Structures are given as C-alpha cells and as structure tokens.
C-alpha cells in the first residue's frame, strides 16, 4: 500500500551514544494494515545499533540506564505547529515500556 506523506512529516534515524534506551515506533497511518502496531528495539552504546522511524510513525523512548545520550537525524525541517502527542500509557496500544 502506498502512503502519501504530508509535507511536514519526517523519516528519522535514532541511536543511543551513551547508556541504553527502549525505543518505540508506532504506526499511525490510518489506512495501513499495521495501524497501531509497534516496532520496538533496545538501543545501546554497546550494540551501536540504530532504529529507523519512517514517515507516518509516532516515536517514543524511555531511558533504561542511569543516563543516556540519545541522537537522531531527520530528513525534514521541524514544524512545531504540526506536533501531536500520544499518551505513553494508553491501554489500547499495549506498549510494555520496560519500566
């Protein structure tokens, strides 16, 4: 299925330079077959891994270590007027935040 992105959406690559984080991508594309499904990963300085958050996905993370340095790169300009929030503890999403 082709997704028509909006001009203010962005692809994002995230990584954890120090410490460890639990990272979540949530599909919020209403017509997607994976609508409200999540893709989760633990990012850490030891693994040196990254997570791609595509356009049409919400993003959240929680720090699992005492501290973390978290970095990301996006492919679009920031548009604060288009920002939205989702309750991290929404029972309908069923995300286990590893807390």
């Amino acid at each position: 299925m082709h997704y028509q992105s909006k001009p203010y959406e962005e692809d994002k690559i995230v990584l954890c330079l120090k410490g460890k984080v639990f990272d979540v991508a949530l599909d919020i594309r209403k017509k997607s077959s994976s609508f409200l499904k999540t893709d989760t990963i633990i990012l850490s300085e030891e693994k040196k891994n990254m997570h791609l958050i595509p356009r049409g996905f919400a993003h959240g993370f929680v720090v699992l270590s005492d501290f973390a340095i978290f970095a990301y790169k996006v492919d679009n300009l920031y548009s604060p007027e288009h920002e939205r929030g989702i309750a991290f503890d929404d029972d309908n999403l069923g995300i286990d935040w590893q807390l």
Side-chain angles (χ1 to χ4, degrees):
M1 173 182 299
H2 177 70
Y3 174 68
Q4 182 65 42
S5 67
K6 298 175 179 73
Y8 49 84
E9 290 182 322
E10 59 194 20
D11 288 324
K12 182 185 302 182
I13 296 176
V14 298
L15 65 148
C16 183
L17 300 170
K18 292 287 183 189
K20 182 165 65 170
V21 302
F22 177 71
D23 201 68
V24 177
L26 172 69
D27 188 351
I28 56 173
R29 301 169 300 166
K30 290 184 179 175
K31 294 182 180 181
S32 170
S33 62
S34 60
F35 179 60
L36 297 183
K37 301 285 190 231
T38 59
D39 181 50
T40 64
I41 187 171
I42 293 181
L43 301 172
S44 70
E45 65 182 299
E46 290 85 16
K47 291 182 180 179
K48 297 180 180 14
N49 53 348
M50 295 182 257
H51 195 194
L52 172 65
I53 315 299
R55 293 174 188 265
F57 281 67
H59 176 243
F61 67 95
V62 64
V63 176
L64 299 176
S65 51
D66 289 337
F67 71 94
I69 298 175
F70 190 72
Y72 60 93
K73 178 68 176 163
V74 297
D75 72 340
N76 206 351
L77 296 174
Y78 178 58
S79 180
E81 63 271 15
H82 293 103
E83 285 289 312
R84 301 291 180 266
I86 298 170
F88 79 95
D89 58 351
D90 186 325
D91 289 335
N92 295 313
L93 302 177
I95 300 170
D96 175 5
W97 286 98
Q98 314 267 321
L99 298 173

